[in-house]
Structures are given as structure tokens and as C-alpha cells.
Amino acid sequence: MSKLNQLQGCAITGIGSYVPERVLSNSDLEKLVDTNDEWITTRTGIKERRMAAENEFTSTMAVKASLKALTQAELSPTDLDLIVVATITPDMPFPATACLVQQELGASKAAAFDLEAACSGFIYALEVGRAFISSGVYQNVLIIGAEKLSSIIDWEDRNTCVLFGDGAGAAVLQRRDGARGVLATRLGSDGNKAEILAMPGGGCRQPATVDSVNDRIHFLKMEGKEVYKNAVTAMTAAAKDVMEQSGLSIDDIKCIIPHQANQRIISAIGERLGAKEDQVFVNLQKYGNTSAASVAVALDEALESGKIERGDRILIIAFGAGLTWGATVLEW
Ligand code: UT7
């Protein structure tokens, strides 16, 4: 059996997303740190982002996105075999946020675990779910990318606080004989560059102490320029790889859904792939970088906007801390 055939039989039957109501605009940020709308817009393309309410958490946003995906799939939570939540902002270090989602949904027969691959999390979760389905282990899998990044942002650091937002996206994966679904996937990682994007505090290396809090190590830290360069190279290579694996050229792709971190990164990748501007879906002006939720929310919006029809090929590309990256080609 060819590699491509092995990947068949897993269809995405439902997609859903949720973003919190509260909008934080660039001009709101001007009141917090030494920044301005012109800098944020020209360097990133972001105009505003959503902020979760105090009583909204990664799990509650995940549940809202999941209910939409389950409704679209016409599937009851009790039919789910597995729930995977990709996140770097779990409700708590343990138990897994996926278990909180399982309880809230009433998914009584589902296994549940979290997956941590930062901004690449949704593509990693898609491949994990796909593998469980294609191998015949499970029939119905719910994958979620969800983040309350506002809880780990240093609101005194202008280098990072302007970039991120909160939200959630979910997809239902189901065994469908003959479905094309996921055509090819490439995942990658490089732990040599772990320190360029990290939250150093709160794990067993540097548990929370009065000093660690005073040293502000429980916030996200990023060397922006290094991350930028690695993101362009890795996402371009992964995208080329999955197109080659699936025997498709850029002209065969109806819609490219890149990780929504920076308009300049997205444009650079589009250029390197030879994509036309209208092939590339962008919504980062509204939400900023929502990490694991980013490509899931974008996929949901691209579908809602009518940009994607049955049979279209979609290329999803992501990159994040780890470093991690991934690309996947889907037939819708
Ligand atoms: O989701 C995971 C993947 N993450 C990413 O893909 C993010 C990748 N990185 C980036 O998107 C970009 O590197 C940034 C948007 C973070 C920064 O853009 P840049 O063009 O690389 O700018 P820079 O970091 O080199 O900073 C240029 C200048 C600096 O001033 P000096 O040192 O040149 O005087 C910064 O201090 O811009 C300054 N700066 C700001 N100025 C106004 C940094 N942040 C701000 C700000 N407002 N918010």
C-alpha cells in the first residue's frame, strides 16, 4: 500500500471555533506599553486581539469550539473515542485540560490527553487523531487547539504583549472508508533552539518561588528575530514536502492556511511557495497569534467565508516553540 493510501479513511466531519468577546486594540495597548498602532501594524499586520474574561479558561473556550464542531459533524459527545487538547496554557499543570473538556461535554467513553507542541499543536493533534483512525484503533476523535495566552503574557514587555490573543478551534475526525481527508503530513522539531521561545518558570527546573515571580520567569519570552527566520525556513520546507508527498503543485491548492503570527512571515512563505495572494487565508489582523488555536480558527473562518468547497485541497502550515513545525494537505 502506498503511503498516500495508508493516509486515507480519515475525514474531518466538523469544524468549530470560539473567540472571547473582549477586544484589545492596538490603541488600547498604547496605554499599557511604549508602542503604537503604526509599529504593530507594519511589523505584524495585527490590529486587534481577543482577551478571555476572568472566568473563561482554555477548557471553557475549548468546549464552546467543540460543541460547534460536534453539531456540524452531527455527532454526540458520547460517541467520541478520544479527545486531544493541544495547548501551552492548560487550565492547570495537571490534570489534563482534555479531561476537563471530556467532563464538560459528557464524553463518557472517550480517552483524553493534552498535547504540547505550542503553535504547531493543532497540526500535531490532527496527525495523532489521524493515526488513531487510520490504524483502526478509534472511529471518532475530537481534536482541539485552545489557548488563554493572556494568562502568560508579560504586560510590561512590548516585544511580546502586542502579538498574542486568546481563542479555540476544534475538529471532529471520523473513520470514513474511501475518504481522502488528510493526504499527507510532515511534522518536525528542533530542541537545539528551545530557548528562543519559552516560558522558563513553573516546571520542575524552576518551580514557582517568590524570587521566580519577582524575576518574571512565569511569562512567555521570545527572541523575535530568531523565531521569525526559523519560522519562514521550516514552514516553507514542510509545505513543499507535503505537496511533493501528495503529488500536488501550488496551483492544485485552493487555500493555504498558515499559522497566524505575522503578516510578513506569511507573505515570505507565500512568495517562496509561488502562491498567489488570494490563495492565502489571513485573519491575524483580528486575533493576533493564538498559538495552538490559530490554524483551527482560521480553517473554520475560511470554510464559513465560502473560500473552500468540497474536493478542494487545503494546505495548513504551522510553526512554534520547541521548536516544532508541521504541514498537512487535506482534501476537503
Ligand atoms: O507563534 C510562534 C511563532 N512566533 C512568531 O512567528 C513571531 C516571530 N517574530 C516576529 O514576528 C517579529 O520578530 C516581531 C514582530 C516579534 C518583531 O519584529 P522585528 O522586525 O523582528 O523587530 P525587532 O524585534 O528587531 O525590533 C525592532 C525594534 C526594536 O527597537 P531597537 O532595538 O531597534 O531600537 C524593538 O525594541 O522595534 C522595537 N519594538 C517595538 N517598538 C514599538 C519591539 N516591540 C515593539 C513594540 N512597539 N511593540
Side-chain angles (χ1 to χ4, degrees), residues 22-35:
R22 191 179 147 221
V23 174
L24 187 72
S25 68
N26 289 351
S27 59
D28 293 331
L29 282 163
E30 285 175 10
K31 292 166 205 141
L32 285 179
V33 287
D34 179 14
T35 190

Side-chain angles (χ1 to χ4, degrees), residues 212-231:
S212 76
V213 171
N214 289 335
D215 292 344
R216 309 185 78 76
I217 65 169
H218 299 281
F219 293 123
L220 176 157
K221 315 272 180 203
M222 180 167 75
E223 291 174 36
K225 267 208 176 355
E226 270 315 296
V227 173
Y228 186 115
K229 282 188 273 180
N230 283 280

Side-chain angles (χ1 to χ4, degrees), residues 257-280:
I257 313 249
H259 174 44
Q260 307 286 313
N262 187 317
Q263 178 61 59
R264 290 186 294 142
I265 294 178
I266 293 174
S267 301
I269 294 167
E271 220 168 89
R272 282 167 171 75
L273 294 177
K276 295 180 198 77
E277 218 174 289
D278 68 355
Q279 276 175 292
V280 185

Side-chain angles (χ1 to χ4, degrees), residues 132-210:
F132 271 116
I133 286 177
S134 296
S135 61
V137 174
Y138 291 135
Q139 299 281 324
N140 305 314
V141 176
L142 174 65
I143 60 164
I144 303 161
E147 303 283 9
K148 186 172 176 177
L149 291 170
S150 57
S151 67
I152 60 162
I153 295 303
D154 184 346
W155 293 103
E156 293 180 12
D157 177 10
R158 70 173 183 174
N159 291 293
T160 53
C161 75
V162 302
L163 304 173
F164 298 96
D166 300 333
V172 174
L173 313 181
Q174 289 188 274
R175 175 84 203 175
R176 288 275 190 276
D177 288 334
R180 303 257 295 155
V182 179
L183 298 186
T185 299
R186 167 65 60 202
L187 302 178
S189 71
D190 181 4
N192 287 309
K193 293 178 184 140
E195 76 291 345
I196 67 172
L197 180 48
M199 186 172 89
C204 66
R205 283 197 194 197
Q206 301 190 74
T209 61
V210 171

Side-chain angles (χ1 to χ4, degrees), residues 68-86:
K68 289 188 191 162
L70 286 160
T71 302
Q72 197 178 93
E74 296 177 5
L75 193 75
S76 158
T78 51
D79 292 326
L80 287 171
D81 301 306
L82 174 68
I83 299 171
V84 181
V85 174

Side-chain angles (χ1 to χ4, degrees), residues 47-58:
K47 297 300 279 184
E48 54 188 42
R49 64 292 288 144
R50 298 299 179 96
M51 294 287 118
E54 257 178 52
N55 61 351
E56 262 185 322
F57 310 108
T58 295

